[in-house]
Amino acid sequence: MKDSYDGPILEIDSLSISFFTRLREIPAVMDFSVRVMPGEAVGLVGESGCGKSTVALGVMQDLGKNGRIVGGSIKFKGRDLNEMSQEELRKIRGSEIAMIYQEPMASLNPAMKIGKQLMEVPMIHRGASEKDAYDRALQVVTDVKLPDPARILDSYPHQLSGGQQQRIVIAMALMAEPSLLILDEPTTALDVTVEAAVVQLVKELGQKYGTSMLFISHNLGLVLETCDRLCVMYSGEAVERGSIKDVFDEMQHPYTQALFRSIPLPGADKNARPLRAIPGNFPLPHERPNGCNFGPRCDYFEAGRCDAGDIKMFDVPGNEHHATRCLRFQEIDWHAEMDTGHGAEKPEPGRVVLKMDNLKKYYEVAANALFGKRGDTKVVKANETLSFEARESETLAIVGESGCGKSTFAKVLMGLETATDGQILLDNRNIESTPIEARDTQTVADVQMVFQNPFDTLNPSMTVGRQIIRALEVFGVGNNDAERRERMLQLLDLVKLPRAFAERMPRQLSGGQKQRVGIARAFAGNARIVVADEPVSALDVSVQAAVTDLLMEIQREQKTTLLFISHDLSIVRYLSDRVMVMYLGHVVELGTTDQVFAPPYHPYTEALLSAVPIADTRVTKKTIVLEGDIPSAMNPPSGCPFQTRCRWKSQVPGGLCEKDVPPMRQLGGGHQIKCHLSEQHLASMEPVIQIAAE
Amino acid sequence: MEPLGWFDILTRIFMQFMPVWIALVVLFTLSIVYKRRLGLYGKLFDSTIGMVGFGLVMFWVFTGIFGAFDLIITHDPLAQVSSMKNKPPGTPIMGAEDGQYPYYLFGGDNLARDVFSRMVKGAWVVVQIAPLATLFAFMVGITLGLPAGYYGGKLDTLLSFLANLILAFPVILLFYLLVTPEIVDTGIPNYMAMVLFIFPLVFVAVLLNSRYRTQPAVRTPLLIGVLGVMGWLYLSLISQPGTAITVLPDALDLFNLQGGILVVFVSVVFVNSPTVFRIVRGLAMDIKTRDYVAAAQTRGERPWYIMLWEILPNARGPLIVDFCLRIGYTTILLGTLGFFGLGLPPESPDWGTTINDGRRLLQIYLHPAMVPAFALLSMVLGLNLLADGLREESLRD
Amino acid sequence: MAFFLLRRIGTMLLTALCLTFIVFWLTNLAPNLEKLAKNQGNVRMTDEQVASFLQDRGYAQPLPLKYAQWLGVAPGWVIEGRDGTTRSRCNGVLENGVPPENARSFCGVLQGDWGYSTVFQDGVGSIIATRLGLTGKLMFWVMMVMVPGALIIGVLAGMREGSRTDRTLSTVSIITTATPEYVSGVVFIAVFASTAFGLRWFNGSATSAMEDATFENFTLPVMTIALYGMGYIARMTRASMAEVMTAQYIRTARLKGVSFPNIVMKHALRNALIAPFTVIMLQFPWLLNGVVIVETLFNYKGFGWTLVQAAGNNDIELLLGVSVVSVFVVLITQLISDIGYVYLNPRISVS
Ligand SMILES: Nc1ncnc2c1ncn2[C@@H]1O[C@H](COP(=O)(O)OP(=O)(O)OP(=O)(O)O)[C@@H](O)[C@H]1O
Ligand code: SF4
Ligand code: SF4
Ligand SMILES: [Mg+2]
């Protein structure tokens, strides 16, 4: 069926794509070239809005009503896709080129059984009979390692978990054994451990079927793990292109360099070697500067040259596979040490301000929301015996994936919910059963929160300044409007936003700026404890660094206790003093950052560490792939919460893991682990991450 | 005199509407010039549909207002000129006196009144009642819908049950039960007015109180002032001499609604509020999951502040669109009432009543029913188009 | 599921009880009763006479008791009037003051006894049955025209948002929703049935359609009701279809190589119909309005016409019967819409 063809599978040559809106033409992609050879995986990295998805949709020739290819060519196996008729394209789509999207749930038809959606592909493209199509579907579902394929084929998408859905989407793409697979951020919506498993699967299948891949991601670490070559995009253009090794170790573009400097790699340290954010903001497509798009943010910018005119791709001498879009790449000293700027003193943690003691939070939920019988409720144990202390100017990271109870914990601490059992001591006062309405203004102002989603944390119909002033009013700061206004402007200074932003509406701000306003609001009443719930995970990498830095700086100044909730171990290692790992409502490990990131690990921490992609070629990681998904909190496993996925379980005699919840064990120095494993086994653990000596 | 041809009729009507044209031109010029500074209203002028709709609506609004000052009409809408009974459009008046307009531009109805002037006067009835009744319905719906959606639970169950109860009533049956002279005698509509019209007061009181809770020095005088004025208006509105509720002495009573209007008003508000309630409740349930609501909760804001200042402003898009649609719906309801001869007095020039009058002889004389029918059609169409334009524009950006 | 149904039916009964009680209360207010007495007896009755008239016919009893009797949970009244005749609720005028052998003492809705219409001089049960039959016929044809028409218009318009077809169809839908029945009915009669235009294609009255519905006498009433609802449903369908067509899974299907007709038929349609389905079902109660207007306008003596007669003359028991029926129509359609929603939308599972 498949013809034999051994040239490049995909050849994009100086492609330009524009969207036409009522106001203007938006050039989303300009002069973009890339080539994918058979069996090769090419990565496409860049920040949000740089045009990655547009390239992918351009290849699929599906740019919607207002999108148009305005220049260049896209050749698939030597044939120009631009010149094909709709009918020809239809034949190629799904059979020769397949695409996988970011949102698994949204890409499956909710009203159609999985089996039917899969079988459609061979039935359209090969005229396969229903029987053959079913067999093929069964086989592919088995290939993507889903348990009980027959049952899965007979279910609707909503009956599967996110990870399973993504596997089905992958299966669907593989149904016709395409020669090219385009993956647009295939794992962003998934939990880290599930992401690791899906990435592993994609790699294996790519090898098994010999499929070429175009892998789109904003995560350099993931690209390192999956791809052979990569292409870095910035603001609609490819800025650097080359093999993984070339780009990671011998980068030739200032943007690539800045990107690497802004992500926390092992070895970065918030005090000694802080991250370096890229200054400024990502330009909107219609506000691009003259000449080099990166110019306004570039450290090596040279007026009169960099902003003179369009810049084309240059081949790096001596390596025709490596190219960069920078005029000065040969003049820059790529090995110069980064100017780390301020090397701040590490602040000493002060006295204990917050103490949790055996905190428990159980919810009663109706077993079935719509048709449930009365009285038919279940108890969900969202937090199970949480105990820890947090000190002044200390950062305590709370790590865990979805459903582990992080947000519940935050709610109880804030007083939006009251605890079921146990106590929370704030300056030795019990607050666990005082709901927020009953707390005095000072307590409320002391404990504040920064939220995850920047697009949701500000009230869209109130000016930025007004929102901060409101917080000041509520916290009783300032005696009159003028004083409060002054204080609001100071707060804007504190979070490094121009004072003029006070009059702006939230929609006029970028994600990072909104997050800064959120931080300013949280510190309005001089909060002493700030809960930051994934404050940077929704931000672009270059902005992440700036926001984290800001948090750290304010913390140093104000001696704030920071409870930093995150699932990203790289950033946690970078900024936290102590780490608490949670799984299904249980604290499974607690200790200083060094203790948690070195063996002995809790088996879950070990898997989590191995799952986080690291964008550093020197790092070697042990691959630990967890089977299955995180169990639902409604229906937790018996015994140890982690037993369904634990690879060490067999080492514990007597099936103890399935019977008893393990006790919290002290390993000395305040390091605690909740596991049945014996001392020897714990001692025998090897480090997951190793950095090769330079 | 010869009867006028269609061309002459239209030209003369065009001339009669001159004040309306002038007002429309001024309004549109100003709006288009300053559209970038006018928020959502300004954006309306980017959409053809929205502009057409807005134009139609404003045409009738201006017609209503100028009509109320006797500007556009050619004759007294109640005056009968005996020779003009059922005469076709453009018929000259025999032996017209000096100063009397010499033609019935849209003909005469079966009581020999001028159809054109009645149509213009009818616009005033609609323009007066429909937006105001809708506004009151929104106040009721919002004041009850926000807590139902925000708190959920028992309160929600109870309020939703009540709303569904009213919704399960066929509207016409409800009208027949409420808007009869017998029921009016019992004073039930006055009591309903008393209950329904208190909601705007409650709404404004809570709104201001929650906003200025932290500054008692500002809040207390503000509340006393605003509530004082509103309370007076409220009492004047519900107090009608000669009915069950006469709370204010005549000297203080600012105004009395003319007979029937209060009943119609109350019933229309009553029928519309449950739907508004449902919409607001749904929006509140959706918006309360947002982080900015959580942020307000974590800084210890009181529930009513969150409902009115964090949730309501962000629900305004769908609510504004629904407001326009609902004015249209209310216009239709008013027409329905007129059509069944309920509420308004039989000689009232409102469109529903005139359609009802005209339809009896419809097989022979078209114009007495068709003229108000098209007036109503164009007004409701305008509101629908306006809503569509607003919806489209608010989805952009 | 059984539990769900039970709870829904429970709510339904509670709603019906509340509503009938409200109707009962409103119709039994003093001015209404006085009007009734004057209608029944004679217009020039003195207050005294009115009082005794009402007294003799059981209207003067306390409201809850009367309501209980109407429901059939309290024994019907037997009153010896001042005029000497003994009347009873269940058995009419009693000869020599005693109820006949095996006479019923309970006669309310629960016993299947809907009472007696003072206007039509007939049992409420039988009036409603015949009138409902006639309206059923009308509604059937309305549905036959409206639902498929609206869905086709909606799907065609929403399939390719912003196309010329979409614009045309949307404009048509907006115009029809802006035209209430009493306007479109008047226009239809004027254009198609009046001498003035001279078309005279259809009949301007549907009275003859009660016996024998033909194309001539039934088209106009059916079209009048159908048009108003059609535009509304079509707009809902269009919106829902347009939204579905931009969904990610439609893109997936397109990039899987599914052809456009198949995308629309197999992938989009079922998802796009979930929202309008609820709307169609909730249209029923609202169609009742249209029915009342159209039956009055075209003089078709169905359920809506009966409602107007009953309400206009304060015919208490008929009015109550009419309310019960209309309330049940509303509630049952709501129930069906919920169940159908579950069926169409696999995301809600039934335990
Ligand atoms: N349909 C459209 N109409 C107008 N502009 C568009 C459209 N689709 C995308 N754009 C613009 O094109 C640019 C590139 O968008 P694209 O979706 O390709 O970015 P991306 O790199 O995939 O971002 P992300 O990481 O957020 O997915 C953006 O500025 C975006 O606003
Ligand atoms: S061309 Fe100039 S501005 Fe652009 S990346 Fe190179 S040095 Fe920086
Ligand atoms: S207790 Fe057992 S199952 Fe749980 S983490 Fe330890 S070894 Fe694994
Ligand atoms: Mg994208």
Side-chain angles (χ1 to χ4, degrees), chain A residues 45-73:
Chain A
V45 251
E47 295 174 271
S48 182
C50 70
K52 308 178 299 273
S53 303
T54 310
V55 169
L57 291 174
V59 174
M60 297 307 281
Q61 298 282 323
D62 188 51
L63 289 164
K65 276 194 296 278
N66 60 348
R68 223 174 45 230
I69 295 180
V70 289
S73 67

XYZ file of all heavy atoms in Angstrom, chain A residues 45-73:
191
model
N 10.266 23.928 19.182
C 10.052 24.541 20.502
C 9.887 26.035 20.389
O 10.454 26.674 19.504
C 11.238 24.341 21.473
C 10.893 23.390 22.564
C 12.488 23.948 20.752
N 9.176 26.584 21.335
C 8.997 28.024 21.361
C 7.908 28.355 22.349
O 7.198 27.475 22.819
N 7.821 29.648 22.670
C 6.843 30.046 23.665
C 5.465 30.163 23.034
O 5.313 30.153 21.821
C 7.265 31.385 24.272
C 8.552 31.273 25.048
C 9.003 32.627 25.514
O 9.731 33.310 24.786
O 8.603 32.990 26.615
N 4.476 30.320 23.900
C 3.105 30.426 23.442
C 2.948 31.559 22.435
O 3.475 32.646 22.636
C 2.223 30.685 24.660
O 0.907 30.751 24.267
N 2.258 31.271 21.361
C 1.984 32.303 20.376
C 3.082 32.521 19.361
O 3.011 33.423 18.542
N 4.123 31.682 19.384
C 5.206 31.909 18.441
C 4.916 31.290 17.086
O 5.675 31.461 16.153
C 6.526 31.385 18.988
S 6.594 29.606 19.046
N 3.808 30.556 16.968
C 3.425 30.045 15.653
C 3.651 28.560 15.448
O 3.586 28.081 14.324
N 3.899 27.841 16.521
C 4.142 26.402 16.378
C 2.922 25.679 15.823
O 3.010 24.936 14.846
C 4.496 25.784 17.743
C 5.612 26.482 18.472
C 5.865 25.839 19.818
C 4.698 25.870 20.763
N 4.567 27.053 21.598
N 1.773 25.915 16.467
C 0.564 25.230 16.016
C 0.209 25.635 14.601
O -0.280 24.832 13.816
C -0.613 25.560 16.917
O -0.309 25.231 18.228
N 0.477 26.887 14.277
C 0.142 27.345 12.938
C 0.929 26.572 11.885
O 0.393 26.209 10.842
C 0.415 28.854 12.829
O -0.211 29.501 13.933
C -0.132 29.417 11.548
N 2.200 26.295 12.173
C 2.986 25.491 11.243
C 2.326 24.131 11.067
O 2.128 23.649 9.946
C 4.432 25.323 11.755
C 5.172 24.285 10.939
C 5.155 26.653 11.726
N 1.948 23.509 12.184
C 1.360 22.178 12.121
C 0.077 22.206 11.298
O -0.130 21.352 10.419
C 1.066 21.672 13.528
N -0.759 23.191 11.552
C -2.023 23.244 10.815
C -1.782 23.598 9.353
O -2.524 23.175 8.472
C -2.964 24.261 11.466
C -3.445 23.785 12.834
C -4.245 24.864 13.525
C -4.271 22.515 12.700
N -0.717 24.356 9.103
C -0.363 24.633 7.720
C -0.026 23.346 6.992
O -0.438 23.133 5.852
N 0.713 22.470 7.650
C 1.042 21.196 7.029
C -0.233 20.409 6.733
O -0.385 19.796 5.689
C 1.980 20.377 7.944
C 2.197 18.992 7.364
C 3.292 21.097 8.129
N -1.164 20.459 7.673
C -2.415 19.736 7.449
C -3.322 20.488 6.488
O -4.398 20.016 6.159
C -3.174 19.551 8.772
C -2.475 18.723 9.821
S -1.932 17.114 9.242
C -3.413 16.149 9.286
N -2.946 21.680 6.058
C -3.764 22.518 5.187
C -5.130 22.786 5.824
O -6.168 22.671 5.183
C -3.965 21.844 3.822
C -2.694 21.630 3.066
C -2.205 22.920 2.418
O -2.975 23.730 1.949
N -0.899 23.117 2.423
N -5.113 23.105 7.100
C -6.369 23.318 7.799
C -6.255 24.585 8.631
O -6.235 24.548 9.844
C -6.661 22.098 8.682
C -8.052 22.172 9.273
O -8.996 22.386 8.510
O -8.180 22.012 10.500
N -6.175 25.712 7.948
C -5.917 26.955 8.674
C -7.178 27.722 9.001
O -7.120 28.842 9.492
C -4.983 27.834 7.838
C -3.560 27.296 7.779
C -2.793 27.939 6.657
C -2.847 27.527 9.101
N -8.312 27.145 8.711
C -9.559 27.840 9.041
C -9.889 28.886 7.986
O -9.186 29.027 6.978
N -10.945 29.616 8.275
C -11.461 30.548 7.258
C -10.503 31.680 6.965
O -10.320 32.071 5.840
C -12.783 31.152 7.762
C -13.976 30.283 7.484
C -15.254 31.080 7.686
C -15.449 31.521 9.107
N -16.011 30.537 10.014
N -9.877 32.219 8.053
C -9.116 33.448 7.828
C -7.615 33.230 7.699
O -6.870 34.179 7.545
C -9.418 34.465 8.935
C -9.047 33.923 10.291
O -8.774 32.726 10.422
N -9.003 34.779 11.291
N -7.178 31.983 7.736
C -5.748 31.738 7.618
C -5.369 31.394 6.186
O -6.120 30.706 5.496
N -4.207 31.865 5.730
C -3.795 31.553 4.367
C -2.282 31.437 4.281
O -1.556 32.172 4.962
C -4.291 32.626 3.410
C -4.848 31.982 2.157
C -5.502 32.941 1.191
N -4.754 34.143 0.953
C -5.299 35.353 1.035
N -6.548 35.485 1.389
N -4.587 36.416 0.756
N -1.822 30.495 3.469
C -0.384 30.395 3.221
C -0.032 31.462 2.210
O -0.600 31.494 1.120
C -0.041 28.990 2.687
C -0.352 27.981 3.782
C 1.399 28.931 2.237
C -0.067 26.569 3.414
N 0.849 32.381 2.601
C 1.127 33.493 1.697
C 2.477 33.357 0.995
O 2.821 34.183 0.170
C 1.068 34.850 2.434
C -0.352 35.197 2.802
C 1.943 34.838 3.659
N 3.199 32.313 1.310
C 4.458 32.147 0.610
C 5.110 30.832 0.978
O 4.799 30.232 2.000
N 5.994 30.348 0.114
C 6.738 29.138 0.414
C 5.979 27.892 0.044
O 4.864 27.944 -0.483
N 6.593 26.754 0.318
C 5.961 25.498 -0.079
C 6.087 24.476 1.028
O 6.981 24.554 1.869
C 6.635 24.970 -1.349
O 7.972 24.611 -1.032
